[in-house]
Amino acid sequence: MEADSLIQNPKKQRLNEEQGIDGNNKCFGNLPELILRHILSFLSIKTAVRTSVLSKRWQFLWTSNPYLNFGKHIPGKRTLLMNFVERVLYLRDSSDIKEFVLDFDVESDACRVKSWITAAVRRNVQTLSICLWGSRGQFSLPRCVFTCETLTSFYLDMRCILKVPPIICFSNLKVLIIENVAFSDDYTTQQLLSGLPVLETLYFENCTWGCHKVLSISAPKLHFLTIVEDDDMQNPSGCKFMIFGPSLKYFAYGGKFLNEYCLYDSLSLECLDFDVDCYDEWASDGWARQVAYRMFKVLIATPNVQDVRLYGNACEVLAYAAELLPKMPIFNNLSYLKLGSLKLQCAALWKILQNSPCLETLKFFLIEPISDREKADIILDPMPSCFLSHLKRIKVGSYDEENDLYVIKILLKNAIVLDKMVISFEENLEMQDAFYKQLMKLPRGSQNCKIVLK
Amino acid sequence: MANNGENPSPDVGGKTVKLKADDGEIFEVEEAVAMELQTVKSFFDDDGVSYDTVVPLLNVSSTALAKVIQYCRRAVELRAKSGDDEGANEKAREEREGLEAELVREESDEGIKELILAANYLNIKDMLSFLCRAVGDRIKNKSVEYVRRFFVLENDFSPEEEERTRNEVAWAFEGVDAD
């Protein structure tokens, strides 16, 4: 008797039981039910429902599909969509719904929409994505959403005042994305911001904060925070946010700093991303200085940052508060700097470069043109120390022959440990060749560096 | 111990495991790869089972087993490549997706079903998932008849029953969205 046959039989039986294979299903065509349901879960709910006409066995297989994404609202098909959603919810079995995605024009059907959301919550939904509009004023989410303990991802886009109930429990919520919402004036807004114990990603876009003057966000596990503010928001005095994020790794802000953001406990922040657009008309109002002060506040709180991205005219804006430049922190860990545009004549950028002794990579999309007068403003002596010791890679997003050669010359001459400079140059091969030859003739501080044209 | 050309000898020095397909063909596989098959892993998790024992996989054909082993080998390699580096992770992920697409593209409908049954029996979660997704893609926009043929289904509805069922889900066939 072979040794393995003793073990074989009980093992085989156990294997069969675990897989749930029907004893008589040796034929390929008859896949076990679990597998069929698994296949169906990859289909959109609309496609899955159609399988009910295949055979008796298939009639209700689709009803356990846990991913209910009803697709984008198509104009003219609103009633059909409503009926579809309701039929699916009625015919469904009682298995959990993992994902519920709705994109819908509410009109006067607020009650029905609320009942759909409630149904999803009651089926232990994990990912809830709701984009609603057209509710003419108030649409209030069902309260059970705010106490849904199975919810791990919540995406809400709704041009309404958000009514947060007094009791909330987001004990499993890891991702929260809110767009276009007007938070209410009362204490419930703060309660929401304080009730996110395991939140890792927080994203606010075009949200307004009512009359709140101060709010705090305290999320011990928060890694990623992004705030985008639209132009036409009306709160002249703004709201001051205190953000306690000991685990915060990434903070991105886009807008005009209509509100203020103070980071505490953020010495572990790795990446900072500012997209600030501040035009001349703001300078006269003194608003530009306010923006500069608010940007500075964040920079001072995050001296350990490793990766900084500055888009729009963030650098120029910083320069509006010239008196703060000498107080710019030293960024000992900053190794990666990405700019929308490189403006060497901007004092603030120069200060940042000087205060980043370990900068290794510098990337930028454009080069701001420099007038002859401005050329004198660039203080080449002393050169930022990173040019002498650390700056290895420079990547240029686009090149304009007329303006940019001057700046490229400065960089090539002074970055004496440069390994590689990559320039995106979208012209025909002939012009690329000519440009390359021109570049190779320029004096280079680093003899070994490569120049690559893309 | 058969060791044919289709199954190249594993590297010397690593522990190997022998797997036997339904036709008796034996595949010798590196331990790390064999453990991707949860079924095989459970087999050895039991006390008293030595690693020399040949694992009988009576529900898996040798063609399917060969492909499964090939996929798992590449998957283990790719997983070893990815680490903390985001760039390397991204690259490894892309390669794995390419591997999956390649495996699926070449398979006939019968072939895919056979692989699904094998992946299910051998309990390889990732493989089962992408195979099921591939089947979903294949039947997505097809007619009822096509899908019936794919799954080798007999239409056991009586004409009246079928009519009734179609009416009940007519709402799903209305053009609610552009597929």
Side-chain angles (χ1 to χ4, degrees), chain A residues 2 4 7-8 11-12 14-16 18-19 21 25-32 35-36 38-40 42-44 46-47 49-60 62 70-72 74 77 80-81 83-84 87-88 91, chain B residues 20 39 42-44 46 49 53-54 56 58-59 110 113-114 116-117 120-121 123 128-129 132-133 135-137 139-140 144 147-148 151-158 161-162 165-166 168-169 171-179:
Chain A
E2 275 183 314
D4 57 0
I7 307 160
Q8 179 181 310
K11 281 263 182 231
K12 188 174 157 219
R14 209 168 56 156
L15 292 177
N16 275 341
E18 277 167 15
Q19 313 317 323
I21 292 176
N25 275 341
K26 295 288 184 192
C27 165
F28 296 138
N30 280 330
L31 295 172
I35 292 190
L36 294 179
H38 197 172
I39 293 174
L40 285 179
F42 289 107
L43 297 175
S44 76
K46 289 178 202 75
T47 312
V49 169
R50 289 181 211 147
T51 62
S52 58
V53 303
L54 289 175
S55 79
K56 283 188 183 166
R57 189 181 176 208
W58 281 76
Q59 220 177 349
F60 296 107
W62 67 269
F70 294 100
K72 207 144 170 63
I74 294 180
K77 307 272 190 187
L80 281 177
L81 181 55
N83 291 339
F84 187 92
R87 291 262 174 69
V88 167
L91 291 176
Chain B
K20 183 162 82 171
T39 306
S42 321
F43 184 87
F44 287 114
D46 247 22
V49 180
T53 321
V54 177
L58 296 182
N59 281 343
E110 281 307 307
K113 280 185 278 179
E114 190 183 7
I116 285 184
L117 285 172
N120 185 45
Y121 177 78
N123 200 349
L128 187 59
S129 266
C132 286
R133 195 178 341 123
V135 170
D137 286 340
I139 63 173
K140 208 155 46 176
V144 169
V147 181
R148 277 195 186 127
F151 289 107
V152 189
L153 295 176
E154 245 193 70
N155 180 4
D156 52 357
F157 286 124
S158 72
E161 283 172 334
E162 181 167 351
T165 314
R166 275 191 191 256
E168 275 171 14
V169 291
W171 44 282
F173 286 87
E174 281 160 7
V176 180
D177 84 345
D179 252 322

Side-chain angles (χ1 to χ4, degrees), chain A residues 10 48 50 73 90 108 129 213 226 236 275 285 305 348 373 376 389 416 438:
Chain A
R50 289 181 211 147
H73 168 94
Y90 292 155
S108 45
S129 169
K213 295 263 190 309
T226 303
D275 186 350
D285 286 345
V305 69
R373 189 169 40 88
S389 60
I416 62 181
Q438 187 183 29

Side-chain angles (χ1 to χ4, degrees), chain A residues 161-173:
Chain A
I161 299 181
L162 183 67
K163 288 211 216 102
V164 179
I167 301 181
I168 62 169
C169 180
F170 280 136
S171 49
N172 275 309
L173 191 65

Side-chain angles (χ1 to χ4, degrees), chain A residues 341-360:
Chain A
S341 62
L342 181 72
K343 193 169 180 180
L344 277 188
Q345 65 271 43
C346 171
L349 173 61
W350 212 241
K351 188 71 186 169
I352 292 176
L353 288 173
Q354 280 168 343
N355 283 20
S356 308
C358 301
L359 188 68
E360 288 181 13

